[in-house]
Amino acid sequence: MTDAQETAAASSLRTTGGAPPDDGGSTASAVPGAPTPELEPTPEPVPEPTPLLEPREGIPPVVADEASLAAVIAAFAAGRGPVAVDAERASGYRYGQRAYLVQLRREGAGTALIDPVACPDLSGLGAALSGVEWVLHAATQDLPCLREIGMVPTRLFDTELAGRLAGFPRVGLGAMVESVLGFVLEKGHSAVDWSTRPLPEPWLRYAALDVELLVDLRDALEKELDRQGKLEWAHQEFDAIASAPPPEPRKDPWRRTSGMHKVRRRRQLGVVRELWQTRDRIAQRRDVSPGKVLPDAAIVEAALALPVNVHALAALNGFGHRMGRRQLEQWQAAVDRAKELTEAQLPQPGQPVAGPPPPRAWADKDPEAAARLSAARTAVSALAERLNMPQENLIAPDTVRRVCWEPPAPADAESVADALAGLGARPWQVEQVAPVLVAALPA
C-alpha cells in the first residue's frame, strides 16, 4: 500500500479543502435506492496536507527514441490495473493543441514521460493499453491531443467528473489530491511552454507528479461514488466520453473573436473575418498562438475604425510603432479586401441558431414556453441541490431548453423520457430528470 493509499484509508475522505459534506447520509439518501450509511463517530482532526516533492522512483528519463518507446510499451503492457494518463500542451504559445509531453503511470511499470515530438506515433502504446481502464483528470481536455498521436482509450475513469458527481466544490487536480489524499501537488508549471526543448528538470518533476497519485485518487473516488449510490451514473458518463466521436470542426470560428459584441455592421464583420483568417494562416505557418500574431482586441479595433490606409491603421491600438511596415501592409490589405466585398459576400450578423431561440426572447415569442422553462429550471435546480452535484452534470441546460420549447405530446413520463434520451441524456439522467420535467411542463 502506498503512502497515499494509507492516508486515504485512514481518513476515508479528507475534508481539508473541499470534500463532499458528510451530514449523516443526506447526500446518499437523496439517491433513490441508495443505502443509508451507518452513523460514524466524530472524526479525528484532519492533519495538515503533506507536500509531494518527488516521484517515488525519481524522475524517469524522457522517452525520445523508438528503442526506448518499445521498452515502455512492453513494460506497460505487462503492468497491472488501471493506467494514469496525462498530456501537456503549449496553449498560448503554439498553434493548435498538440501534445508536447505524455505522462503515464501503472502498477508494475512505474512512470513514463514520452516526447511525442520525437515519437509522434504512439498507436503501439495505445494498442498495448486497449481494454485497460485509463485514468485521466478532465479527460475531454486531453483526449483530442492524445487521439492525434494514436492513443484512444476504450475504458476510462475521469477523476474531475467523478468529483463533480460526488459533490466536491473544488475539482482541480491539486484540490482533489489535497482534500481526498492529503498531499499537496506543485502547480507552478501548468502554464509553461511545453514545446521547449530540452524540458527543464523542474518541469519534468511536475509532470511526473501529475500522474503519481491519479490511480490512488481514482480508487478513493470510486468508493465515495459507491457510498453515495452514484457509481453506476459515473460509469455511464465515462462510457459516453470514451465512445464519443471527435467533435465536428467549429463553423465560422472567427465569430468567437473576443469583443465581437461591439461589431454591429456587416462590413465590419467582414473585416473581422478577413483579419482573423489572415492571422490564422500566419499563425499556422509560424506554429505560434494566433494571439501572439495579432490580439483579438486589435482585430475588433480595426473592424470598428475601418482604416483607409496604413497610416490610419498604425494609429490604432494593437498596430503601434513596434509593427513593421510590411506587417501593417498585410493587415491593411485584409481590411481592403473586406471593403471590396459585395453585399452578398458579406457575413450575416449572428449565426443561424439550430433549435430554440435564446431564452431571453421566449417571453415575447412564446410566453407559455417561457413559463415551462422557468418551472423546469427551478425543478432541475432543486433536484441538483438534493443530489449534491452541479446542474450541468445532472442534465445539459440545452437539453432542458429543447424539451421545454417543443415538449412531446402528451408530456407524460414515457414521452419525456424518450425525448431526453433522443437528445443524448444518459439512462441515469433520464431516470432522475424525467419525473421533474413531467411535473414542470404543464406550467
Side-chain angles (χ1 to χ4, degrees), residues 355-418:
R360 63 179 178 274
W362 286 32
D364 293 331
K365 291 179 178 291
D366 190 336
E368 291 185 0
R372 289 194 296 267
L373 181 61
S374 177
R377 283 175 162 174
T378 300
V380 169
S381 176
L383 177 59
E385 185 174 353
R386 201 157 64 245
L387 297 178
N388 190 29
M389 69 173 65
Q391 287 181 236
E392 63 270 20
N393 293 114
L394 172 60
I395 191 72
D398 182 65
T399 297
V400 175
R401 287 194 294 268
R402 287 174 183 268
V403 172
C404 290
W405 183 251
E406 294 183 345
D412 56 21
E414 182 177 358
S415 61
V416 171
D418 288 343

Side-chain angles (χ1 to χ4, degrees), residues 157-199:
F157 190 106
D158 186 332
T159 50
E160 184 201 48
L161 181 52
R164 291 180 182 275
L165 295 176
F168 283 79
R170 298 169 59 218
V171 293
L173 180 59
M176 295 286 287
V177 166
E178 181 176 340
S179 62
V180 176
L181 302 178
F183 288 89
V184 177
L185 290 176
E186 180 188 4
K187 300 303 291 182
H189 303 300
S190 59
V192 299
D193 181 2
W194 286 96
S195 68
T196 300
R197 292 297 183 272
L199 286 165

Side-chain angles (χ1 to χ4, degrees), residues 124-147:
L125 178 59
L129 296 173
S130 179
V132 176
E133 182 186 82
W134 296 22
V135 184
L136 300 100
H137 192 81
T140 54
Q141 294 182 19
D142 286 341
L143 288 178
C145 70
L146 290 171
R147 185 181 288 113

Side-chain angles (χ1 to χ4, degrees), residues 90-97 100 193 195 276 278-296 299 331:
S91 304
Y93 297 94
R94 296 288 184 175
Y95 186 87
Q97 293 295 313
Y100 283 95
D193 181 2
S195 68
W276 190 97
T278 299
R279 180 184 70 172
D280 195 65
R281 288 192 295 269
I282 295 170
Q284 188 170 13
R285 185 177 70 246
R286 291 169 49 189
D287 190 18
V288 296
S289 170
K292 290 186 175 297
V293 176
L294 189 69
D296 280 9
I299 291 178
W331 302 126

Side-chain angles (χ1 to χ4, degrees), residues 54-74:
E54 290 287 339
R56 63 193 82 166
E57 297 102 11
I59 304 172
V62 177
V63 174
D65 60 73
E66 292 303 319
S68 300
L69 178 60
V72 165
I73 292 174

Side-chain angles (χ1 to χ4, degrees), residues 54-267:
E54 290 287 339
R56 63 193 82 166
E57 297 102 11
I59 304 172
V62 177
V63 174
D65 60 73
E66 292 303 319
S68 300
L69 178 60
V72 165
I73 292 174
F76 275 78
R80 302 178 299 278
V83 57
V85 182
D86 191 21
E88 305 296 346
R89 299 177 298 278
S91 304
Y93 297 94
R94 296 288 184 175
Y95 186 87
Q97 293 295 313
R98 67 169 296 181
Y100 283 95
L101 188 70
V102 175
Q103 308 102 280
L104 304 99
R105 182 172 180 85
R106 191 180 190 194
E107 187 177 350
T111 297
L113 303 178
I114 303 175
D115 180 357
V117 177
C119 301
D121 181 6
L122 299 186
S123 57
L125 178 59
L129 296 173
S130 179
V132 176
E133 182 186 82
W134 296 22
V135 184
L136 300 100
H137 192 81
T140 54
Q141 294 182 19
D142 286 341
L143 288 178
C145 70
L146 290 171
R147 185 181 288 113
E148 287 181 359
I149 53 179
M151 295 186 65
V152 182
T154 54
R155 297 169 52 212
L156 65 83
F157 190 106
D158 186 332
T159 50
E160 184 201 48
L161 181 52
R164 291 180 182 275
L165 295 176
F168 283 79
R170 298 169 59 218
V171 293
L173 180 59
M176 295 286 287
V177 166
E178 181 176 340
S179 62
V180 176
L181 302 178
F183 288 89
V184 177
L185 290 176
E186 180 188 4
K187 300 303 291 182
H189 303 300
S190 59
V192 299
D193 181 2
W194 286 96
S195 68
T196 300
R197 292 297 183 272
L199 286 165
E201 183 177 298
W203 300 12
L204 296 174
R205 180 181 297 106
Y206 158 87
L209 290 174
D210 259 7
V211 292
E212 180 83 1
L213 301 180
L214 209 47
V215 173
D216 299 309
L217 179 61
R218 171 236 179 268
D219 293 344
L221 289 173
E222 181 179 60
K223 291 178 182 178
E224 176 64 13
L225 288 167
D226 190 39
R227 184 186 76 83
Q228 295 186 23
K230 299 175 181 176
L231 185 56
E232 173 56 28
W233 301 0
H235 286 158
Q236 291 181 27
E237 292 299 304
F238 302 157
D239 289 345
I241 295 173
S243 61
E248 293 289 331
R250 191 182 299 276
K251 185 179 180 181
D252 291 344
W254 60 270
R255 292 184 183 272
R256 294 178 62 83
T257 303
S258 181
M260 276 290 290
H261 62 281
K262 303 175 186 176
V263 182
R264 305 288 187 183
R265 292 155 47 194
R266 292 180 62 201
R267 186 69 58 185

